[in-house]
Amino acid sequence: MRFKLIVPFTFLFLCFIGQNQAQVKQVRVSRVDAMADLPQPLKIISWKDMALNFDKTIYDFKATGDHWPMVWMDSTNKNFAQPVMGMYTAVGDVRQGKANKGMFHEALANMGAVLGATLVGIDKSNQHGLNYVGMLKNYFNKDTGWNIMMNNTAPEVALLGGGYGRDWWYDVYPNVLFYAIYDQYPSQPEFEVMARSIAEKFFQADSILKGNYNYSFFDYGKMVPMRNQICAQPDAAAGHAYVLYAAYKKFGDPRYLKGAISAMKALESQPINPTYELLMPFGAYLAAAMNAEQGTTFDIQKMMNWTFDGTAVCREGWGFLVGNWNGIDISGTVGSTVDHGGYAFLMNTFDAAWPLVPLVRYQPKYANAVGKWMLNAVNASRFFYPQYMPEEHQTIPELSAVTKNVIAYEGFSKSSTFDTLYTGLKGPVAQGDGPKWVPGKNPEVSQFSVYGSGHVGIFGGIVKESNVKGILGLDLLATDFYHARAFPSYLFYNPYDASKSIRFEVPEKGTRVDLYDLVSQKFLARNVTSAVKVKIDGKQSVVLVCVPAGMQTVVKNGRLMVDDVVLDYHQQKQ
């Protein structure tokens, strides 16, 4: 028996429903297999608290201290006649703040921080009298005629930083972020017009590309694909597909579904791993979600391997890191697997969880793989923060007070990437690239990454440690934006060799639920009102779905349904 219900924390009698042998055979991901079963040193911090503290500390226009505050108001009124809050990309970046008329700030920072705060319960549309959600409109580049979200508000300052009209992922990802934020704030004025414009641009672009995404970027003003010194980024197709599928879910236009399928086919057809930056995990998610919902047959395993393996050619070695560096497990973090022996980045690690965790609800075969990866990633990610990384593994521990315990290093590497600096440090070396962006001008503290730290709410909204150390409860709906009606769903993976019992609490107090497990495809308990113990065998998972108690189930077209809500997309005959 793989798991069983034991002593319930309720006066109700809870019984087994049928045999509990696992029915969904787990699919292995080789890169995850190479990660630590139980990463060391093991400590799961409260990522929700970190996200709440980041928001409270960063969004303070009166903050004091060297290089503070980290935010300012940009009143240049680009694209919309309103001010927009600027946020530093890195601490002390000399290009930002009052420099350059206050215009140089990035959507990756601003939008990521808004999304992250929202995922931990903060209403950013009305916080201390300010609408930080509405301010994001200024990144919608209508003045340039592109009419999509971009990483900067205007080309006058765009060349100061990365991306913007020459590096495809930088132009696509702000729109992925926007659609997530739009899901959370559907009534925000003018967001619908912007969302429709983005969907139209992406649909037209896919129609023009006709399955060939082998370009450096796409000019959404002239509507032509472009090549430059940056290598081709065919994984931009995953970003197009994500936005178009979200638009289809939101607006119901069948053209958007057609475009999403077309973009996914272009992605799947690549002969080599096309991973460039952040977008491939969204391809894996879409393969699972669209196969389940639309009956497509995209190769999930191929896209999971592309996501994890570090076999990218254009962005050499980009993927998920594996290893123990001088007694510290760094597995599960995301970045270059080859640069100076490996260079992981905080934002990439946070953002990978956004699509990969909800993937499990559509394809539970990956419960073990995603559960094990997330344990490694969540454990290792605390080492980006100076208060958790041992000082002997940091480039500037003596300057860490400037972070106020909410700003992390941009990344960590196996050896210093500065080549002539910090060469005596042993990996993992917590550091950042900020000083290289403006050589001789950006201070050492620009190694601390405000923009990456702002995405912490993705972990904060998904991750909660169970009562058993090392067993995480992962919310499968938290970042499954635009999902169809669904019941609360949680993944628990047991990394230990021996079975463990977790305490599972009903998410909404005062309700009665029946607990269904997507892995065993069985109801484990009925009429639960507060909490129960669930036993999980070693190296196995449960995916618990909280179904309103007493509801009747019916199987339609291979799906287990409850009140017209899909409970299980892959129901097998019992």
Side-chain angles (χ1 to χ4, degrees):
M1 185 174 291
R2 197 177 59 88
F3 56 81
K4 65 180 180 180
L5 182 70
I6 58 179
V7 184
F9 289 86
T10 174
F11 291 111
L12 295 174
F13 176 72
L14 304 178
C15 61
F16 294 113
I17 307 297
Q19 297 298 311
N20 293 326
Q21 294 295 325
Q23 289 191 238
V24 176
K25 184 178 180 180
Q26 295 298 292
V27 176
R28 305 174 75 94
V29 175
S30 59
R31 192 73 169 171
V32 177
D33 286 345
M35 296 178 186
D37 290 326
L38 199 65
Q40 299 296 324
L42 179 62
K43 181 179 180 179
I44 306 300
I45 68 171
S46 172
W47 291 100
K48 181 176 182 179
D49 286 349
M50 182 67 79
L52 292 171
N53 289 333
F54 177 90
D55 186 85
K56 178 176 65 176
T57 306
I58 295 295
Y59 284 85
D60 181 357
F61 291 91
K62 297 180 180 179
T64 59
D66 290 344
H67 303 290
W68 288 81
M70 293 292 162
V71 291
W72 71 94
M73 294 304 296
D74 170 6
S75 299
T76 55
N77 293 350
K78 295 296 182 180
N79 302 303
F80 287 87
Q82 63 170 20
V84 57
M85 187 202 75
M87 178 182 291
Y88 275 86
T89 297
V91 175
D93 192 321
V94 297
R95 304 166 298 175
Q96 299 183 300
K98 295 181 180 179
N100 296 297
K101 301 179 182 179
M103 290 173 55
F104 184 57
H105 44 85
E106 297 189 74
L108 291 182
N110 213 337
M111 296 175 75
V114 166
L115 177 61
T118 302
L119 292 173
V120 294
I122 299 172
D123 182 359
K124 297 298 287 187
S125 68
N126 184 13
Q127 188 180 35
H128 309 306
L130 293 174
N131 183 354
Y132 294 107
V133 179
M135 291 180 190
L136 300 177
K137 292 188 299 185
N138 292 65
Y139 294 108
F140 183 79
N141 274 233
K142 64 179 183 179
D143 290 350
T144 64
W146 279 43
N147 290 307
I148 63 171
M149 303 297 286
M150 298 187 73
N151 195 39
N152 303 106
T153 62
E156 293 97 302
V157 293
L159 293 181
L160 292 173
Y164 200 92
R166 64 188 188 277
D167 192 350
W168 207 348
W169 86 269
Y170 266 113
D171 297 331
V172 170
Y173 199 58
N175 297 280
V176 174
L177 281 165
F178 170 77
Y179 257 84
I181 293 168
Y182 181 37
D183 173 82
Q184 301 291 291
Y185 298 94
S187 300
Q188 191 64 213
E190 299 182 89
F191 270 26
E192 179 178 343
V193 172
M194 294 160 58
R196 288 183 180 274
S197 173
I198 293 164
E200 286 296 319
K201 286 284 187 176
F202 280 20
F203 175 74
Q204 293 168 23
D206 179 79
S207 300
I208 291 166
L209 291 163
K210 295 183 178 3
N212 178 14
Y213 275 75
N214 293 304
Y215 294 92
S216 304
F217 73 101
F218 193 92
D219 186 324
Y220 294 92
K222 298 177 182 177
M223 297 305 293
V224 293
M226 304 291 288
R227 291 190 176 95
N228 56 25
Q229 77 282 3
I230 299 172
C231 61
Q233 299 178 33
D235 63 340
H240 271 185
Y242 184 85
V243 167
L244 288 169
Y245 195 53
Y248 169 69
K249 292 284 200 71
K250 179 67 177 179
F251 302 120
D253 190 328
R255 294 181 305 132
Y256 299 153
L257 175 59
K258 178 182 176 181
I261 293 173
S262 171
M264 283 293 291
K265 287 181 177 178
L267 180 68
E268 187 180 49
S269 69
Q270 293 299 310
I272 58 174
N273 187 344
T275 294
Y276 186 78
E277 182 81 15
L278 283 168
L279 296 172
M280 186 54 69
F282 291 91
Y285 160 81
L286 286 169
M290 294 174 72
N291 286 358
E293 294 183 327
Q294 307 301 330
T296 53
T297 56
F298 294 117
D299 190 337
I300 306 173
Q301 186 71 11
K302 173 190 275 191
M303 296 189 194
M304 287 289 280
N305 289 338
W306 279 347
T307 294
F308 281 88
D309 279 355
T311 55
V313 176
C314 165
R315 197 75 175 272
E316 183 187 3
W318 206 260
F320 287 48
L321 278 68
V322 172
N324 180 292
W325 297 344
N326 296 299
I328 297 176
D329 278 311
I330 55 80
S331 293
T333 55
V334 183
S336 172
T337 63
V338 297
D339 186 3
H340 289 78
Y343 191 178
F345 294 91
L346 179 62
M347 188 186 80
N348 297 68
T349 306
F350 283 152
D351 288 22
W354 162 3
L356 291 178
V357 171
L359 176 153
V360 173
R361 195 167 67 87
Y362 299 101
Q363 186 44 271
K365 291 180 180 180
Y366 291 97
N368 286 357
V370 171
K372 181 180 178 180
W373 161 64
M374 276 294 287
L375 173 60
N376 276 271
V378 167
N379 182 69
S381 290
R382 78 181 190 277
F383 292 115
F384 291 104
Y385 290 83
Q387 65 267 38
Y388 295 112
M389 178 68 91
E391 288 191 3
E392 62 269 25
H393 291 285
Q394 300 181 46
T395 55
I396 48 173
E398 71 280 3
L399 301 177
S400 63
V402 74
T403 70
K404 298 187 179 183
N405 289 336
V406 299
I407 303 174
Y409 285 95
E410 184 183 15
F412 56 63
S413 55
K414 193 169 186 179
S415 62
S416 168
T417 68
F418 287 88
D419 294 333
T420 60
L421 295 174
Y422 319 116
T423 55
L425 297 177
K426 294 182 179 180
V429 178
Q431 62 156 74
D433 290 338
K436 300 178 183 180
W437 299 339
V438 193
K441 295 183 179 180
N442 259 5
E444 282 189 297
V445 290
S446 63
Q447 295 182 67
F448 294 122
S449 170
V450 185
Y451 83 96
S453 303
H455 295 233
V456 63
I458 294 174
F459 270 18
I462 291 173
V463 179
K464 184 178 180 181
E465 191 172 28
S466 74
N467 62 302
V468 179
K469 184 178 181 179
I471 297 183
L472 306 181
L474 305 177
D475 187 337
L476 302 190
L477 296 184
T479 55
D480 192 9
F481 305 114
Y482 301 97
H483 65 75
R485 285 179 60 203
F487 303 118
S489 306
Y490 305 90
L491 165 62
F492 295 88
Y493 170 71
N494 175 13
Y496 297 94
D497 291 327
S499 63
K500 297 290 181 179
S501 295
I502 62 166
R503 173 187 169 105
F504 179 77
E505 297 184 2
V506 175
E508 187 175 344
K509 302 301 182 184
T511 61
R512 295 176 183 270
V513 301
D514 296 336
L515 287 182
Y516 181 84
D517 175 34
L518 286 177
V519 178
S520 67
Q521 298 191 307
K522 299 286 186 181
F523 279 96
L524 304 187
R526 301 279 188 177
N527 215 24
V528 180
T529 60
S530 55
V532 294
K533 280 188 175 180
V534 176
K535 183 178 179 182
I536 314 172
D537 272 0
K539 309 292 177 61
Q540 296 297 327
S541 302
V542 294
V543 180
L544 301 180
V545 185
C546 299
V547 183
M551 301 292 286
Q552 296 297 311
T553 62
V554 61
V555 177
K556 294 181 180 179
N557 299 319
R559 299 173 174 180
L560 185 65
M561 309 286 292
V562 177
D563 190 28
D564 292 328
V565 176
V566 177
L567 173 56
D568 187 338
Y569 285 97
H570 306 280
Q571 179 67 10
Q572 299 177 19
K573 292 182 179 180
Q574 303 300 310

